[in-house]
Amino acid sequence: MADTIMLTDHEAIRSWAASRAGFPAIVDVSPETGTQAMLRLVFGQHAYQDQDQAERPANAGGYELVEWDEWFKLFDERQLALVVAKDQPGRREQFHEFVRRPG
């Protein structure tokens, strides 16, 4: 990815995600529920949660949509930044990755 920018400002991240129909989500990747949450952003149809899904343990894979406040709490605690592609006319890239904030 040639041109990227690093975002840490909450409103800038919300705006970037909203312009791409993105929503905050958490995946629990730990063997025990609630011990190792991984942040994600999900987009478009992937953000739809089927209310008729069978119940499953919280850490059985998949993701849970969460409120931005909960998402940003983990984002800040872990000192993360969101690297995204710079906007280009006529394109809305969904490329993003989480990195540790510099120094």
Side-chain angles (χ1 to χ4, degrees), residues 59-71:
N59 60 341
Y63 53 84
E64 174 186 356
L65 295 179
V66 295
E67 296 295 324
W68 279 111
D69 290 343
E70 181 180 353
W71 194 90

Side-chain angles (χ1 to χ4, degrees), residues 8-56:
T8 57
D9 178 74
H10 293 190
E11 288 308 311
I13 293 169
R14 281 187 206 216
S15 177
W16 181 87
S19 70
R20 291 156 178 81
F23 297 90
I26 293 177
V27 177
D28 191 347
V29 295
S30 62
E32 295 182 25
T33 301
T35 60
Q36 191 176 355
M38 181 175 71
L39 296 178
R40 281 197 54 191
L41 292 172
V42 294
F43 300 92
Q45 187 65 26
H46 297 288
Y48 172 74
Q49 285 190 330
D50 186 353
Q51 300 302 318
D52 296 329
Q53 286 181 340
E55 289 295 318
R56 64 177 186 210

